[in-house]
Amino acid sequence: MLLVGSATERMLGQLGAVFEVLDLPEDNRDKFLAERGGDIGYVLSSGHGGVPAEMIAAMPSLRVISNFGVGYDAVDVAEAVARGVMVTHTPDVLNDEVANTAVMLLLATARNLLADNAWLTSGRWREQGNAPLSRSVRGSTVGILGLGRIGLATAEKLAVFGVDIVYHTRTRRDEVPYRHYDDLTDMARGCDVLISIVPGGAGTEGIINRAVIEALGPEGILINIGRGSAVDEPELIAALSDGRLGKAGLDVFADEPNVPAELMALENATLLPHVGSATVETRAAMGDLAVENLTRFQATGKPVTPVAECRGM
Ligand code: A2R
């Protein structure tokens, strides 16, 4: 089994009981894969680099790629499927935590949590008096882009804050009580807050573009806890800088962990280092599921949670 990225001691203990675990040397990938690629039947992927097509091609005996995380845009699933390689991920076990992060980031952004903290610690409270007022979320309309497992958990948590929920997905969900918009820009025009919780990849690349950002407007708030690639980051920075967009709360970025200095300098941007699911409890649950996908497949030929593209395999 090849480890791409890192794993916790708990995961390594579970994996070591079943597999011979090899580490992918970051500085020597190609040589390593040329020498050992043929021996590898299983991959656990948790790194930013993921598993691109050429890596899959370099492992002719590969059977399963277990992705640590629900989003698997860093794994070339089309290549895997074409070669009969199963891809799995870790859905559901992180819904609650990521939804908490969405709510936390929305409240922190709307209520100036970090700016207020800095107001106190920099001495301005003592020297200049009370911090500027922030805006309440009560009474606002929150548009959720991507009402899947995490989006729905987020919508349900937001109910207690007295907001009106609407959503945009490609397919309407008849079982939910929220208004569906066919068009994202139309929804942004009708919203005070837009929360993005869509997967990465070609289908959502730059979907939050200039038109969507401007439709959200000077009082609008963008929250992104899905994938950075869904936002046109240069357009977002420009709009936050010149006041065409009110505020942004971002947990994800286009080129992690590299965050543009212009974005970090903006007072109306609240930024987190991709910590949506990053608690001890949730990461343990994700790790257990990522490992179980490998061990179950090894024992029975079927994983626990294949990605949608591999469900028929
Ligand atoms: O469009 P639909 O009906 O397939 O709905 C999915 C929506 N979605 C999109 N909505 C609008 N335009 C698109 N191009 C588009 N592509 C996908 O995103 C669905 O409502 C939602 C994804 O939900 P799940 O597959 O249940 O994913 P989950 O577990 O909520 O995680 C979402 C993402 C992960 O892929 C990671 O990137 C991140 O959150 O952690």
Side-chain angles (χ1 to χ4, degrees):
M1 197 221 86
L2 178 68
L3 182 59
V4 180
S6 58
T8 61
E9 286 302 317
R10 174 186 171 109
M11 292 166 74
L12 290 174
Q14 294 166 344
L15 289 167
V18 180
F19 301 106
E20 179 193 351
V21 180
L22 305 175
D23 268 308
L24 181 67
E26 274 304 323
D27 47 355
N28 220 352
R29 280 177 165 230
D30 294 345
K31 183 164 177 285
F32 174 85
L33 285 171
E35 285 170 10
R36 298 299 307 267
D39 302 332
I40 296 163
Y42 302 82
V43 164
L44 182 88
S45 172
S46 67
H48 285 291
V51 190
E54 61 274 16
M55 253 181 85
I56 297 172
M59 297 181 280
S61 309
L62 186 60
R63 301 177 70 202
V64 188
I65 300 169
S66 170
N67 183 69
F68 178 90
V70 65
Y72 51 94
D73 42 314
V75 175
D76 194 322
V77 178
E79 180 72 17
V81 169
R83 291 177 179 272
V85 175
M86 170 68 70
V87 181
T88 68
H89 65 152
T90 62
D92 290 316
V93 293
L94 43 54
N95 294 353
D96 187 62
E97 208 70 75
V98 181
N100 282 347
T101 305
V103 174
M104 173 175 76
L105 193 49
L106 170 54
L107 292 177
T109 305
R111 295 296 313 277
N112 295 345
L113 180 75
L114 300 188
D116 281 356
N117 179 254
W119 189 270
L120 183 155
T121 55
S122 67
R124 292 175 80 181
W125 189 22
R126 208 179 46 236
E127 288 153 18
Q128 299 177 30
N130 291 338
L133 297 183
S134 59
R135 299 300 293 253
S136 177
V137 296
R138 179 161 293 278
S140 58
T141 299
V142 177
I144 301 188
L145 166 60
L147 198 75
R149 290 168 291 240
I150 301 170
L152 191 57
T154 304
E156 287 166 356
K157 283 179 193 280
L158 283 172
V160 296
F161 294 98
V163 300
D164 188 25
I165 306 280
V166 298
Y167 74 104
H168 168 68
T169 50
R170 292 164 301 180
T171 313
R172 180 195 300 266
R173 295 185 66 165
D174 288 328
E175 77 281 19
V176 300
Y178 314 117
R179 173 177 174 189
H180 177 259
Y181 277 88
D182 288 328
D183 185 79
L184 175 58
T185 311
D186 280 349
M187 181 172 83
R189 203 169 290 117
C191 284
D192 305 291
V193 175
L194 176 64
I195 301 181
S196 177
I197 183 59
V198 280
T204 57
E205 174 101 43
I207 189 172
I208 301 173
N209 56 21
R210 184 182 180 130
V212 172
I213 291 168
E214 290 186 345
L216 201 50
E219 300 293 323
I221 297 178
L222 172 67
I223 302 296
N224 190 6
I225 51 161
R227 280 290 181 268
S229 59
V231 178
D232 185 328
E233 214 166 67
E235 287 289 353
L236 172 66
I237 293 169
L240 285 169
S241 304
D242 62 26
R244 282 175 293 125
L245 179 66
K247 296 177 179 177
L250 309 171
D251 185 42
V252 289
F253 303 90
D255 178 29
E256 297 173 8
N258 305 305
V259 177
E262 306 98 287
L263 192 52
M264 290 197 272
L266 288 170
E267 280 191 358
N268 51 352
T270 299
L271 311 178
L272 296 177
H274 202 153
V275 291
S277 66
T279 61
V280 170
E281 296 81 359
T282 297
R283 287 291 168 86
M286 291 165 63
D288 288 352
L289 182 52
V291 169
E292 201 188 345
N293 272 314
L294 292 169
T295 53
R296 181 89 69 90
F297 188 95
Q298 199 252 7
T300 70
K302 292 280 179 203
V304 188
T305 46
V307 302
E309 295 89 328
C310 294
R311 269 180 213 140
M313 281 170 69

